[in-house]
Amino acid sequence: MLVRTAALFLVALAAPAAFAQSSLDVTLYDFNTRASLAGLTVRLVNEQIGFESEAVSDADGQARFNGLQTAGAYVVSVPATGAYLDQSTRPLTLRSRANRSVSLLMIPVQRVDLEGVEVTGETGFADLNRTNAEVSATLTAREVQALPIEGRDLTRVLFRLPGVTQATGFFPEAPSVSINGANGLFVNYLIDGLDNNEQFLGGQRFAMPIGFVQDVTALTGAFSAEYGRTNNGVFNVTTRGGSNEIEGEVFYLTRPGSVIDGTSPFNQRDLLGNEVKDGFS
């Protein structure tokens, strides 16, 4: 019965990821003139989930892909033509309920005789937000797994994002993070765009395991009204979706007890300097 309950819980938790969809805008420019390029074929491939799609750039040089899953990583490419060389991006991950935009600079086909070539960096791909004025920052799954996180509590790594600070909690169960210096109770917590707010004590209702996280984004200003529920900021966790690659993670914790537990110099404190949370107990 216990195994069945755990399995049902994991299925219920993974279900929102299937509905977490995003969109991607691709804009093509001429490398020399910066003019928009129309009529070029743009390919979008996600090998991890077996997805492939094509679109043709319009008069503004834009190609749009809607209803994309957040699972896996997408690669945008433009095949070579008689006028331009081929171009592609690095693998891109998408955030739930977000419209991402990328720009590609297409290099015209030309013959130049050179005595030597020195490559100093990538110049053909720009990952810029050209859709809105959203102020946000994101930690990817690779960063979350590489950073030391106290107690594997995802909120303990959010301090590394701009605009996010440790909250001065006024009761033991108070949220541990705040945005833009405001009260930690004003933060809105989301999982794949769905509500994850604890309605009585504040903070997040469900503590997201590290292995379930594809990325976590802190929206600190000028974000869309669709998020709502706060005039402060939002933490939006995008969960990892399934792919054609089989992998897993095992984590266990054993503690001998408070008698020999170590102390932490980074315990959360209130405005008077008294310990509010002992992160190691």
Side-chain angles (χ1 to χ4, degrees), residues 174-185:
S176 58
V177 291
S178 69
I179 295 180
N180 298 328
N183 191 318
L185 296 175

Side-chain angles (χ1 to χ4, degrees), residues 61-141:
Q62 294 186 350
R64 185 178 180 86
F65 299 89
N66 292 314
L68 301 177
Q69 298 184 30
T70 56
Y74 294 86
V75 174
V76 180
S77 64
V78 179
T81 65
Y84 293 94
L85 302 176
D86 63 297
Q87 187 62 273
S88 63
T89 69
R90 56 176 173 76
L92 306 172
T93 57
L94 302 181
R95 196 181 81 212
S96 61
R97 293 177 60 182
N99 180 20
R100 187 165 184 175
S101 60
V102 297
S103 299
L104 284 173
L105 297 178
M106 303 301 298
I107 301 177
V109 175
Q110 55 185 345
R111 178 183 176 86
V112 179
D113 294 329
L114 301 175
E115 294 181 358
V117 176
E118 180 180 355
V119 179
T120 58
E122 298 181 1
T123 59
F125 167 56
D127 188 3
L128 302 174
N129 181 7
R130 300 172 56 88
T131 306
N132 52 46
E134 176 185 281
V135 180
S136 62
T138 300
L139 286 174
T140 64

